[in-house]
């Protein structure tokens, strides 16, 4: 049977794997990308990584950073029972349903409901008080026209952002500011980001839910979020800036583990149609990326990973059945990861991480 997982590694990560295999305490950072329903293909892999591989006593903090649905996955890992949190998230995510033409308010209410299921009764407290997990939630603070909740005005602002981004990602600073909400205090590894203006705000009981909600609030699809205790403004999906995080992951020597639904990285939301915009190799030296292999994806329902268009392709019953089938199939990814950790046969599988 063809392999289900692709193993992609930067030079430093590949050298470490060849030298001694993969150990939980070699990992300093775990990254979660935006992508909406695409995360469902990773649910089985997340269970193996979050609930087993990383569920060991640690010698130093484990930094978890993500945007949009990636930050919600990382919020599962930062709870005491990560597997139970993933199960709640998966069930609530698959079950979401909407009217034929939902408003941004309706979609936001459903998002809040899913988030409450993910966190459960104790999740927020466990995240804030976790002995070693440090959660970093990426959001985009809106500037100019994209602050508006009026659809036409917001669309005009997004169009300006897209035009500027096609010339340079740095132009996004005119419409958005990266704001990272985090439990790491002053010593987090992402304090020296210079690619775009970045602020750091402590996560608290008052802002944890709003920050996570903002991180997944897709422009035009969900309402923007105002976050207590943060710089004033309207916060939107962190994936607008960091669709698949591509920045300096810090100066530590440990690995950056990147469980991803693609074997490549698209830096920003506006880069999806820009074939020339690739991730920079300098940020991926220590990255170990785990992604579904093409042969595995070809065997999924419809030969593809789920996405938001499934809400229009299928009726609710069909979509739920397909999404559950994808989750069930994704258990193979987790099983293969477990086998690799035990066997240590990484060298024969490593491919260079791509932009």
């Amino acid at each position: 049977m063809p392999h289900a997982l692709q193993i992609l590694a930067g030079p430093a990560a590949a050298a470490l794997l060849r030298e001694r295999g993969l150990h939980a305490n070699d990992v300093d950072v775990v990254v979660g990308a935006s992508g909406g329903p695409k995360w469902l293909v990773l649910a089985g892999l997340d269970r193996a990584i979050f609930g087993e591989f990383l569920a060991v006593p640690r010698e130093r903090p484990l930094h978890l950073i993500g945007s949009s649905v990636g930050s919600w996955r990382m919020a599962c890992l930062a709870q005491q029972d990560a597997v139970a949190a993933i199960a709640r998230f998966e069930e609530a995510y698959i079950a979401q349903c909407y009217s034929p033409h939902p408003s941004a308010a309706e979609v936001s209410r459903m998002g809040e409901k899913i988030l409450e299921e993910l966190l459960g009764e104790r999740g927020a407290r466990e995240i804030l008080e976790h002995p070693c997990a440090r959660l970093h939630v990426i959001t985009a603070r809106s500037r100019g026209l994209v602050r508006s909740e009026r659809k036409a005005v917001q669309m005009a602002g997004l169009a300006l952002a897209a035009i500027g981004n096609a010339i340079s990602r740095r132009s996004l600073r005119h419409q958005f500011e990266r704001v990272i909400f985090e439990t790491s205090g002053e010593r987090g590894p992402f304090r020296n980001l210079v690619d775009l203006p970045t602020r750091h705000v402590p996560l608290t009981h008052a802002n944890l839910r709003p920050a996570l909600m903002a991180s997944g609030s897709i422009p035009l699809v969900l309402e923007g979020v105002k976050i207590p205790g943060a710089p004033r403004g309207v916060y939107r999906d962190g994936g607008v800036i960091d669709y698949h995080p591509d920045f300096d992951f810090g100066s530590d020597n440990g690995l950056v583990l990147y469980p991803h639904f693609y074997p490549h990285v698209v830096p920003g939301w506006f880069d999806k149609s820009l074939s020339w915009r690739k991730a920079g190799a300098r940020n991926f030296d220590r990255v170990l990326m785990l992604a579904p292999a093409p042969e595995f994806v070809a065997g999924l329902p419809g030969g593809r990973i789920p996405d938001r268009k499934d809400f229009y392709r299928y009726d609710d019953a069909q979509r739920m059945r397909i999404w559950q089938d994808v989750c069930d199939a994704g258990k193979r990814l987790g099983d293969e990861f477990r086998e690799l950790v035990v066997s240590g046969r990484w060298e024969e599988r490593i491919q260079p991480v791509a932009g």
Side-chain angles (χ1 to χ4, degrees), residues 6-11 244 246 258 260 262-267 277-281 284 287 289 351-355:
Q6 282 186 279
I7 313 300
L8 306 112
H244 304 159
D246 168 28
Y258 207 135
H260 194 21
Y262 291 151
H264 60 272
V265 167
V266 178
R277 183 68 52 78
K278 302 295 184 183
F284 287 79
V287 167
M289 184 176 288
Q351 305 172 50
V353 69

Side-chain angles (χ1 to χ4, degrees), residues 253-328:
N253 294 320
L255 290 175
V256 177
L257 186 59
Y258 207 135
H260 194 21
F261 31 81
Y262 291 151
H264 60 272
V265 167
V266 178
W269 194 52
F270 296 106
D271 297 328
K272 291 186 284 184
S273 61
L274 306 182
S275 60
W276 66 88
R277 183 68 52 78
K278 302 295 184 183
R282 65 187 180 280
N283 292 328
F284 287 79
D285 184 45
R286 298 183 293 120
V287 167
L288 170 61
M289 184 176 288
L290 307 173
E295 296 83 0
F296 172 82
V297 174
L300 295 176
R304 43 179 290 279
I305 294 171
D307 59 41
R308 285 197 296 119
K309 293 180 181 178
D310 287 354
F311 287 107
Y312 304 98
R313 291 187 181 105
Y314 311 112
D315 63 36
D316 286 333
Q318 289 176 306
R319 175 184 54 78
M320 291 179 192
R321 183 172 62 253
I322 288 169
W323 284 10
Q324 186 60 61
D325 288 345
V326 169
C327 289
D328 293 341

Side-chain angles (χ1 to χ4, degrees), residues 188-268:
F190 314 113
R191 289 280 164 168
N192 298 316
L193 299 183
V194 296
D195 59 325
L196 288 166
T198 304
R199 294 200 202 195
H200 301 265
V201 177
L203 273 172
T204 66
H205 286 284
N207 67 24
L208 186 143
R209 285 177 174 81
L212 284 167
M213 193 65 210
S215 186
S217 291
I218 305 167
L220 302 176
V221 179
L222 287 86
E223 296 175 316
V225 179
K226 295 181 180 179
I227 304 178
R232 291 181 61 184
V234 176
Y235 290 77
R236 302 195 188 277
D237 197 312
V240 172
I241 299 173
D242 298 300
Y243 191 58
H244 304 159
D246 168 28
F247 45 59
D248 183 354
F249 293 113
S251 58
D252 292 337
N253 294 320
L255 290 175
V256 177
L257 186 59
Y258 207 135
H260 194 21
F261 31 81
Y262 291 151
H264 60 272
V265 167
V266 178

Side-chain angles (χ1 to χ4, degrees), residues 12-23 344 346-347 350:
L16 187 146
L17 287 172
R18 292 187 178 107
E19 177 186 345
R20 63 188 193 204
L22 180 63
H23 302 277
W346 297 94
E347 184 167 5
I350 294 173

Side-chain angles (χ1 to χ4, degrees), residues 4-5 15 18 47 61 76 119 129-131 152 180 238 257 274 278 355:
L5 267 179
R18 292 187 178 107
R47 283 176 168 84
C76 292
L119 292 173
E129 298 177 359
H130 200 287
I180 305 177
L257 186 59
L274 306 182
K278 302 295 184 183

